[in-house]
Amino acid sequence: MTLTLINNPGFETLEKAGFTRFQFQRLDALFLRAAQTKVLNARFVDCDFEEGVMTFSYAKTNAHAPMFTFVIRQVGPRQVMYELHQEGKGRPFKSGLFDRVYEKLELAIDAILPPPL
């Protein structure tokens, strides 16, 4: 019996499922921009490895319910679904692309920030 190694050079270029450090830093930068103007003062990050879900929540204070919750959910071996839940809005915004949901969150946070001087 011979063991043959199959090398697929295109495999390294495939996008891996998951949440990258750069994406986490972008979400954190949004919070820091809102915290600078004292609009949002608390953030919560929760990971459930068994369910494959991570939530990144923004709130006015620790005592308040989150205004925005960014949910990252592993739905398949190579598929991740991103969701944005807003306080007072019934239906979450969902997409398989991080940038689409991030843009919605960025617009929502920009809407509650005071205008620049």
PDB file of all heavy atoms in Angstrom, residues 74-100:
ATOM      1  N   GLN A  74     -21.226  30.251  13.559  1.00  0.00           N
ATOM      2  CA  GLN A  74     -20.700  29.247  12.627  1.00  0.00           C
ATOM      3  C   GLN A  74     -21.865  28.353  12.223  1.00  0.00           C
ATOM      4  O   GLN A  74     -22.429  27.645  13.048  1.00  0.00           O
ATOM      5  CB  GLN A  74     -19.611  28.425  13.305  1.00  0.00           C
ATOM      6  CG  GLN A  74     -19.008  27.379  12.425  1.00  0.00           C
ATOM      7  CD  GLN A  74     -17.587  27.692  12.031  1.00  0.00           C
ATOM      8  OE1 GLN A  74     -16.954  28.478  12.681  1.00  0.00           O
ATOM      9  NE2 GLN A  74     -17.117  27.086  10.977  1.00  0.00           N
ATOM     10  N   VAL A  75     -22.233  28.397  10.939  1.00  0.00           N
ATOM     11  CA  VAL A  75     -23.381  27.629  10.470  1.00  0.00           C
ATOM     12  C   VAL A  75     -22.980  26.412   9.643  1.00  0.00           C
ATOM     13  O   VAL A  75     -23.824  25.592   9.303  1.00  0.00           O
ATOM     14  CB  VAL A  75     -24.359  28.516   9.657  1.00  0.00           C
ATOM     15  CG1 VAL A  75     -24.992  29.551  10.547  1.00  0.00           C
ATOM     16  CG2 VAL A  75     -23.666  29.148   8.474  1.00  0.00           C
ATOM     17  N   GLY A  76     -21.719  26.285   9.327  1.00  0.00           N
ATOM     18  CA  GLY A  76     -21.227  25.138   8.568  1.00  0.00           C
ATOM     19  C   GLY A  76     -19.729  25.034   8.742  1.00  0.00           C
ATOM     20  O   GLY A  76     -19.111  25.871   9.392  1.00  0.00           O
ATOM     21  N   PRO A  77     -19.130  24.019   8.145  1.00  0.00           N
ATOM     22  CA  PRO A  77     -17.690  23.860   8.325  1.00  0.00           C
ATOM     23  C   PRO A  77     -16.882  25.008   7.731  1.00  0.00           C
ATOM     24  O   PRO A  77     -15.820  25.349   8.218  1.00  0.00           O
ATOM     25  CB  PRO A  77     -17.377  22.542   7.612  1.00  0.00           C
ATOM     26  CG  PRO A  77     -18.549  22.237   6.781  1.00  0.00           C
ATOM     27  CD  PRO A  77     -19.714  22.971   7.345  1.00  0.00           C
ATOM     28  N   ARG A  78     -17.383  25.637   6.695  1.00  0.00           N
ATOM     29  CA  ARG A  78     -16.700  26.770   6.075  1.00  0.00           C
ATOM     30  C   ARG A  78     -17.615  27.978   5.909  1.00  0.00           C
ATOM     31  O   ARG A  78     -17.357  28.839   5.080  1.00  0.00           O
ATOM     32  CB  ARG A  78     -16.153  26.376   4.701  1.00  0.00           C
ATOM     33  CG  ARG A  78     -15.033  25.396   4.783  1.00  0.00           C
ATOM     34  CD  ARG A  78     -14.424  25.214   3.413  1.00  0.00           C
ATOM     35  NE  ARG A  78     -13.332  24.303   3.490  1.00  0.00           N
ATOM     36  CZ  ARG A  78     -12.055  24.672   3.544  1.00  0.00           C
ATOM     37  NH1 ARG A  78     -11.762  25.931   3.518  1.00  0.00           N
ATOM     38  NH2 ARG A  78     -11.114  23.773   3.621  1.00  0.00           N
ATOM     39  N   GLN A  79     -18.681  28.037   6.677  1.00  0.00           N
ATOM     40  CA  GLN A  79     -19.649  29.131   6.529  1.00  0.00           C
ATOM     41  C   GLN A  79     -19.909  29.795   7.868  1.00  0.00           C
ATOM     42  O   GLN A  79     -20.181  29.125   8.857  1.00  0.00           O
ATOM     43  CB  GLN A  79     -20.963  28.604   5.943  1.00  0.00           C
ATOM     44  CG  GLN A  79     -21.985  29.658   5.676  1.00  0.00           C
ATOM     45  CD  GLN A  79     -21.551  30.649   4.609  1.00  0.00           C
ATOM     46  OE1 GLN A  79     -20.815  30.319   3.703  1.00  0.00           O
ATOM     47  NE2 GLN A  79     -22.004  31.863   4.734  1.00  0.00           N
ATOM     48  N   VAL A  80     -19.847  31.123   7.863  1.00  0.00           N
ATOM     49  CA  VAL A  80     -20.119  31.921   9.054  1.00  0.00           C
ATOM     50  C   VAL A  80     -21.220  32.909   8.702  1.00  0.00           C
ATOM     51  O   VAL A  80     -21.227  33.493   7.621  1.00  0.00           O
ATOM     52  CB  VAL A  80     -18.850  32.674   9.517  1.00  0.00           C
ATOM     53  CG1 VAL A  80     -19.148  33.566  10.691  1.00  0.00           C
ATOM     54  CG2 VAL A  80     -17.748  31.695   9.870  1.00  0.00           C
ATOM     55  N   MET A  81     -22.172  33.083   9.615  1.00  0.00           N
ATOM     56  CA  MET A  81     -23.259  34.048   9.425  1.00  0.00           C
ATOM     57  C   MET A  81     -23.077  35.173  10.434  1.00  0.00           C
ATOM     58  O   MET A  81     -22.789  34.928  11.599  1.00  0.00           O
ATOM     59  CB  MET A  81     -24.615  33.370   9.631  1.00  0.00           C
ATOM     60  CG  MET A  81     -25.802  34.272   9.429  1.00  0.00           C
ATOM     61  SD  MET A  81     -25.991  34.867   7.749  1.00  0.00           S
ATOM     62  CE  MET A  81     -26.448  33.379   6.911  1.00  0.00           C
ATOM     63  N   TYR A  82     -23.233  36.399   9.979  1.00  0.00           N
ATOM     64  CA  TYR A  82     -23.110  37.576  10.833  1.00  0.00           C
ATOM     65  C   TYR A  82     -24.490  38.204  10.979  1.00  0.00           C
ATOM     66  O   TYR A  82     -25.251  38.289  10.015  1.00  0.00           O
ATOM     67  CB  TYR A  82     -22.145  38.584  10.210  1.00  0.00           C
ATOM     68  CG  TYR A  82     -20.778  37.993   9.948  1.00  0.00           C
ATOM     69  CD1 TYR A  82     -20.434  37.520   8.691  1.00  0.00           C
ATOM     70  CD2 TYR A  82     -19.846  37.890  10.967  1.00  0.00           C
ATOM     71  CE1 TYR A  82     -19.193  36.968   8.451  1.00  0.00           C
ATOM     72  CE2 TYR A  82     -18.597  37.339  10.739  1.00  0.00           C
ATOM     73  CZ  TYR A  82     -18.277  36.885   9.471  1.00  0.00           C
ATOM     74  OH  TYR A  82     -17.042  36.332   9.240  1.00  0.00           O
ATOM     75  N   GLU A  83     -24.816  38.647  12.193  1.00  0.00           N
ATOM     76  CA  GLU A  83     -26.118  39.250  12.469  1.00  0.00           C
ATOM     77  C   GLU A  83     -25.916  40.519  13.277  1.00  0.00           C
ATOM     78  O   GLU A  83     -25.008  40.600  14.101  1.00  0.00           O
ATOM     79  CB  GLU A  83     -26.993  38.298  13.285  1.00  0.00           C
ATOM     80  CG  GLU A  83     -27.236  36.963  12.659  1.00  0.00           C
ATOM     81  CD  GLU A  83     -27.960  36.010  13.582  1.00  0.00           C
ATOM     82  OE1 GLU A  83     -28.407  36.423  14.669  1.00  0.00           O
ATOM     83  OE2 GLU A  83     -28.065  34.826  13.225  1.00  0.00           O
ATOM     84  N   LEU A  84     -26.797  41.482  13.062  1.00  0.00           N
ATOM     85  CA  LEU A  84     -26.801  42.713  13.848  1.00  0.00           C
ATOM     86  C   LEU A  84     -28.175  42.880  14.468  1.00  0.00           C
ATOM     87  O   LEU A  84     -29.177  42.954  13.763  1.00  0.00           O
ATOM     88  CB  LEU A  84     -26.470  43.930  12.981  1.00  0.00           C
ATOM     89  CG  LEU A  84     -26.557  45.278  13.677  1.00  0.00           C
ATOM     90  CD1 LEU A  84     -25.546  45.367  14.815  1.00  0.00           C
ATOM     91  CD2 LEU A  84     -26.340  46.404  12.698  1.00  0.00           C
ATOM     92  N   HIS A  85     -28.216  42.899  15.794  1.00  0.00           N
ATOM     93  CA  HIS A  85     -29.453  43.123  16.536  1.00  0.00           C
ATOM     94  C   HIS A  85     -29.390  44.527  17.132  1.00  0.00           C
ATOM     95  O   HIS A  85     -28.386  44.892  17.748  1.00  0.00           O
ATOM     96  CB  HIS A  85     -29.600  42.107  17.675  1.00  0.00           C
ATOM     97  CG  HIS A  85     -29.653  40.693  17.200  1.00  0.00           C
ATOM     98  ND1 HIS A  85     -30.834  40.048  16.960  1.00  0.00           N
ATOM     99  CD2 HIS A  85     -28.682  39.804  16.912  1.00  0.00           C
ATOM    100  CE1 HIS A  85     -30.585  38.824  16.556  1.00  0.00           C
ATOM    101  NE2 HIS A  85     -29.278  38.645  16.513  1.00  0.00           N
ATOM    102  N   GLN A  86     -30.457  45.298  16.947  1.00  0.00           N
ATOM    103  CA  GLN A  86     -30.539  46.648  17.499  1.00  0.00           C
ATOM    104  C   GLN A  86     -31.686  46.726  18.488  1.00  0.00           C
ATOM    105  O   GLN A  86     -32.745  46.142  18.272  1.00  0.00           O
ATOM    106  CB  GLN A  86     -30.763  47.680  16.397  1.00  0.00           C
ATOM    107  CG  GLN A  86     -29.608  47.806  15.446  1.00  0.00           C
ATOM    108  CD  GLN A  86     -29.856  48.881  14.408  1.00  0.00           C
ATOM    109  OE1 GLN A  86     -30.682  49.760  14.600  1.00  0.00           O
ATOM    110  NE2 GLN A  86     -29.151  48.813  13.304  1.00  0.00           N
ATOM    111  N   GLU A  87     -31.456  47.470  19.554  1.00  0.00           N
ATOM    112  CA  GLU A  87     -32.498  47.667  20.554  1.00  0.00           C
ATOM    113  C   GLU A  87     -33.662  48.422  19.920  1.00  0.00           C
ATOM    114  O   GLU A  87     -33.472  49.434  19.252  1.00  0.00           O
ATOM    115  CB  GLU A  87     -31.916  48.470  21.726  1.00  0.00           C
ATOM    116  CG  GLU A  87     -32.889  48.708  22.845  1.00  0.00           C
ATOM    117  CD  GLU A  87     -32.272  49.549  23.947  1.00  0.00           C
ATOM    118  OE1 GLU A  87     -31.573  50.511  23.630  1.00  0.00           O
ATOM    119  OE2 GLU A  87     -32.511  49.218  25.100  1.00  0.00           O
ATOM    120  N   GLY A  88     -34.865  47.908  20.086  1.00  0.00           N
ATOM    121  CA  GLY A  88     -36.044  48.555  19.546  1.00  0.00           C
ATOM    122  C   GLY A  88     -36.381  48.148  18.122  1.00  0.00           C
ATOM    123  O   GLY A  88     -37.426  48.521  17.604  1.00  0.00           O
ATOM    124  N   LYS A  89     -35.525  47.420  17.465  1.00  0.00           N
ATOM    125  CA  LYS A  89     -35.800  46.931  16.112  1.00  0.00           C
ATOM    126  C   LYS A  89     -36.161  45.461  16.222  1.00  0.00           C
ATOM    127  O   LYS A  89     -35.535  44.705  16.940  1.00  0.00           O
ATOM    128  CB  LYS A  89     -34.565  47.073  15.216  1.00  0.00           C
ATOM    129  CG  LYS A  89     -34.059  48.467  15.082  1.00  0.00           C
ATOM    130  CD  LYS A  89     -34.538  49.058  13.807  1.00  0.00           C
ATOM    131  CE  LYS A  89     -33.964  50.473  13.715  1.00  0.00           C
ATOM    132  NZ  LYS A  89     -33.976  50.992  12.422  1.00  0.00           N
ATOM    133  N   GLY A  90     -37.187  45.045  15.510  1.00  0.00           N
ATOM    134  CA  GLY A  90     -37.662  43.680  15.637  1.00  0.00           C
ATOM    135  C   GLY A  90     -36.811  42.648  14.935  1.00  0.00           C
ATOM    136  O   GLY A  90     -36.436  41.646  15.504  1.00  0.00           O
ATOM    137  N   ARG A  91     -36.455  42.899  13.701  1.00  0.00           N
ATOM    138  CA  ARG A  91     -35.794  41.885  12.894  1.00  0.00           C
ATOM    139  C   ARG A  91     -34.310  42.202  12.749  1.00  0.00           C
ATOM    140  O   ARG A  91     -33.941  43.298  12.365  1.00  0.00           O
ATOM    141  CB  ARG A  91     -36.447  41.856  11.532  1.00  0.00           C
ATOM    142  CG  ARG A  91     -35.979  40.772  10.654  1.00  0.00           C
ATOM    143  CD  ARG A  91     -36.786  40.764   9.391  1.00  0.00           C
ATOM    144  NE  ARG A  91     -36.746  39.409   8.846  1.00  0.00           N
ATOM    145  CZ  ARG A  91     -37.439  39.049   7.822  1.00  0.00           C
ATOM    146  NH1 ARG A  91     -38.245  39.897   7.236  1.00  0.00           N
ATOM    147  NH2 ARG A  91     -37.353  37.829   7.377  1.00  0.00           N
ATOM    148  N   PRO A  92     -33.449  41.235  13.025  1.00  0.00           N
ATOM    149  CA  PRO A  92     -32.010  41.489  12.884  1.00  0.00           C
ATOM    150  C   PRO A  92     -31.591  41.527  11.414  1.00  0.00           C
ATOM    151  O   PRO A  92     -32.244  40.938  10.551  1.00  0.00           O
ATOM    152  CB  PRO A  92     -31.363  40.314  13.596  1.00  0.00           C
ATOM    153  CG  PRO A  92     -32.361  39.219  13.501  1.00  0.00           C
ATOM    154  CD  PRO A  92     -33.709  39.892  13.521  1.00  0.00           C
ATOM    155  N   PHE A  93     -30.511  42.235  11.153  1.00  0.00           N
ATOM    156  CA  PHE A  93     -29.918  42.249   9.818  1.00  0.00           C
ATOM    157  C   PHE A  93     -28.921  41.099   9.752  1.00  0.00           C
ATOM    158  O   PHE A  93     -28.063  40.982  10.618  1.00  0.00           O
ATOM    159  CB  PHE A  93     -29.219  43.589   9.552  1.00  0.00           C
ATOM    160  CG  PHE A  93     -28.603  43.669   8.197  1.00  0.00           C
ATOM    161  CD1 PHE A  93     -29.396  43.873   7.087  1.00  0.00           C
ATOM    162  CD2 PHE A  93     -27.240  43.525   8.029  1.00  0.00           C
ATOM    163  CE1 PHE A  93     -28.836  43.931   5.819  1.00  0.00           C
ATOM    164  CE2 PHE A  93     -26.668  43.578   6.779  1.00  0.00           C
ATOM    165  CZ  PHE A  93     -27.466  43.791   5.666  1.00  0.00           C
ATOM    166  N   LYS A  94     -29.035  40.244   8.731  1.00  0.00           N
ATOM    167  CA  LYS A  94     -28.176  39.063   8.611  1.00  0.00           C
ATOM    168  C   LYS A  94     -27.482  39.068   7.262  1.00  0.00           C
ATOM    169  O   LYS A  94     -28.057  39.509   6.267  1.00  0.00           O
ATOM    170  CB  LYS A  94     -28.992  37.778   8.711  1.00  0.00           C
ATOM    171  CG  LYS A  94     -29.668  37.552  10.007  1.00  0.00           C
ATOM    172  CD  LYS A  94     -30.440  36.242   9.980  1.00  0.00           C
ATOM    173  CE  LYS A  94     -31.177  36.024  11.266  1.00  0.00           C
ATOM    174  NZ  LYS A  94     -31.874  34.747  11.284  1.00  0.00           N
ATOM    175  N   SER A  95     -26.259  38.550   7.260  1.00  0.00           N
ATOM    176  CA  SER A  95     -25.527  38.393   6.016  1.00  0.00           C
ATOM    177  C   SER A  95     -24.400  37.393   6.221  1.00  0.00           C
ATOM    178  O   SER A  95     -23.930  37.201   7.339  1.00  0.00           O
ATOM    179  CB  SER A  95     -24.960  39.731   5.549  1.00  0.00           C
ATOM    180  OG  SER A  95     -24.226  39.572   4.356  1.00  0.00           O
ATOM    181  N   GLY A  96     -23.956  36.813   5.148  1.00  0.00           N
ATOM    182  CA  GLY A  96     -22.806  35.929   5.183  1.00  0.00           C
ATOM    183  C   GLY A  96     -21.498  36.686   5.014  1.00  0.00           C
ATOM    184  O   GLY A  96     -20.431  36.109   5.093  1.00  0.00           O
ATOM    185  N   LEU A  97     -21.597  38.011   4.770  1.00  0.00           N
ATOM    186  CA  LEU A  97     -20.418  38.846   4.589  1.00  0.00           C
ATOM    187  C   LEU A  97     -20.238  39.776   5.778  1.00  0.00           C
ATOM    188  O   LEU A  97     -21.155  40.518   6.150  1.00  0.00           O
ATOM    189  CB  LEU A  97     -20.539  39.682   3.317  1.00  0.00           C
ATOM    190  CG  LEU A  97     -20.694  38.906   2.022  1.00  0.00           C
ATOM    191  CD1 LEU A  97     -20.980  39.846   0.867  1.00  0.00           C
ATOM    192  CD2 LEU A  97     -19.454  38.085   1.756  1.00  0.00           C
ATOM    193  N   PHE A  98     -19.079  39.746   6.366  1.00  0.00           N
ATOM    194  CA  PHE A  98     -18.786  40.573   7.534  1.00  0.00           C
ATOM    195  C   PHE A  98     -18.941  42.061   7.207  1.00  0.00           C
ATOM    196  O   PHE A  98     -19.533  42.815   7.978  1.00  0.00           O
ATOM    197  CB  PHE A  98     -17.357  40.301   8.036  1.00  0.00           C
ATOM    198  CG  PHE A  98     -16.923  41.237   9.123  1.00  0.00           C
ATOM    199  CD1 PHE A  98     -17.293  41.011  10.433  1.00  0.00           C
ATOM    200  CD2 PHE A  98     -16.144  42.350   8.830  1.00  0.00           C
ATOM    201  CE1 PHE A  98     -16.900  41.877  11.440  1.00  0.00           C
ATOM    202  CE2 PHE A  98     -15.745  43.217   9.824  1.00  0.00           C
ATOM    203  CZ  PHE A  98     -16.123  42.974  11.136  1.00  0.00           C
ATOM    204  N   ASP A  99     -18.420  42.489   6.069  1.00  0.00           N
ATOM    205  CA  ASP A  99     -18.413  43.914   5.731  1.00  0.00           C
ATOM    206  C   ASP A  99     -19.808  44.502   5.606  1.00  0.00           C
ATOM    207  O   ASP A  99     -20.030  45.665   5.958  1.00  0.00           O
ATOM    208  CB  ASP A  99     -17.626  44.150   4.449  1.00  0.00           C
ATOM    209  CG  ASP A  99     -16.140  43.921   4.637  1.00  0.00           C
ATOM    210  OD1 ASP A  99     -15.649  44.146   5.763  1.00  0.00           O
ATOM    211  OD2 ASP A  99     -15.472  43.507   3.675  1.00  0.00           O
ATOM    212  N   ARG A 100     -20.771  43.731   5.119  1.00  0.00           N
ATOM    213  CA  ARG A 100     -22.153  44.240   5.001  1.00  0.00           C
ATOM    214  C   ARG A 100     -22.754  44.560   6.372  1.00  0.00           C
ATOM    215  O   ARG A 100     -23.352  45.605   6.572  1.00  0.00           O
ATOM    216  CB  ARG A 100     -23.032  43.210   4.313  1.00  0.00           C
ATOM    217  CG  ARG A 100     -23.007  43.271   2.853  1.00  0.00           C
ATOM    218  CD  ARG A 100     -24.027  42.303   2.364  1.00  0.00           C
ATOM    219  NE  ARG A 100     -24.538  42.770   1.102  1.00  0.00           N
ATOM    220  CZ  ARG A 100     -25.279  42.043   0.311  1.00  0.00           C
ATOM    221  NH1 ARG A 100     -25.612  40.828   0.677  1.00  0.00           N
ATOM    222  NH2 ARG A 100     -25.699  42.521  -0.824  1.00  0.00           N
TER     223      ARG A 100
END
